[in-house]
Amino acid sequence: GAVAAAVAAARPRPRPRRAMDLLQGPSARPRGTRLDADPSCLSLLSYNLLAPAFVRPIDVRTGTVQPYALFQWAEPAAEVLDWAARQPRLLSDLQASGADVICLQEVQFEVEGEDIFVLPHWLRLAGYQWLIPGQTYLQTMAERNRR
């Protein structure tokens, strides 16, 4: 079954900082600005992918879409929610971010072999190492999502 969980990916990049620099805090940047524009800062992107398994799932008890997942703001659904339309945009956003660390929520893992969950190939971004939750946790999530 499908499982969605959080993933962290990071590219190695040592960045020494002075304590006083950290106290100044981040500065606002226009939308679309690459996060690696200032090489003296460690950049982190947190991104909820909205796993396809969570897009308008049908409640087996009622036969209707579960209320929490109606996403009524997301119309037309074929352009906004459809995985074939969303996945390339998500990939483009992640690649264009230039973040040192990318934390992902609601990743729908692929299954290889005997129920071994792996990071989807499309999320294996060049220049990044990735860390996914353990198999026991992913198996538990997959079972919960089947209910």
Side-chain angles (χ1 to χ4, degrees):
V3 64
V7 173
R11 56 182 176 196
R13 197 183 227 180
R15 299 228 170 127
R17 293 282 301 210
R18 296 180 313 161
M20 288 306 293
D21 292 340
L22 296 174
L23 295 177
Q24 294 176 7
S27 58
R29 298 179 187 192
R31 182 178 174 92
T33 301
R34 287 184 55 89
L35 296 177
D36 60 357
D38 181 353
S40 68
C41 293
L42 174 70
S43 58
L44 182 135
L45 173 67
S46 179
Y47 206 114
N48 187 316
L49 299 177
L50 181 57
F54 297 155
V55 175
R56 297 188 175 165
I58 302 298
D59 186 324
V60 294
R61 297 165 296 177
T62 65
T64 61
V65 174
Q66 297 178 11
Y68 75 87
L70 285 173
F71 304 115
Q72 293 173 332
W73 53 265
E75 295 296 342
E79 294 175 18
V80 180
L81 293 176
D82 183 68
W83 186 244
R86 282 192 313 118
Q87 189 265 345
R89 290 194 307 260
L90 293 169
L91 180 59
S92 177
D93 284 352
L94 296 173
Q95 289 173 327
S97 74
D100 295 312
V101 178
I102 300 175
C103 299
L104 301 174
Q105 301 91 45
E106 295 192 16
V107 173
Q108 189 160 318
F109 291 88
E110 295 174 352
V111 178
E112 289 183 355
E114 296 293 318
D115 291 332
I116 302 297
F117 294 99
V118 297
L119 188 66
H121 292 297
W122 73 273
L123 282 174
R124 298 177 188 186
L125 305 177
Y128 287 87
Q129 299 171 351
W130 54 88
L131 175 65
I132 66 171
Q135 291 298 310
T136 300
Y137 174 79
L138 294 175
Q139 291 286 351
T140 301
M141 291 295 97
E143 178 60 34
R144 188 191 78 183
N145 290 339
R146 280 192 278 270
R147 289 187 229 145

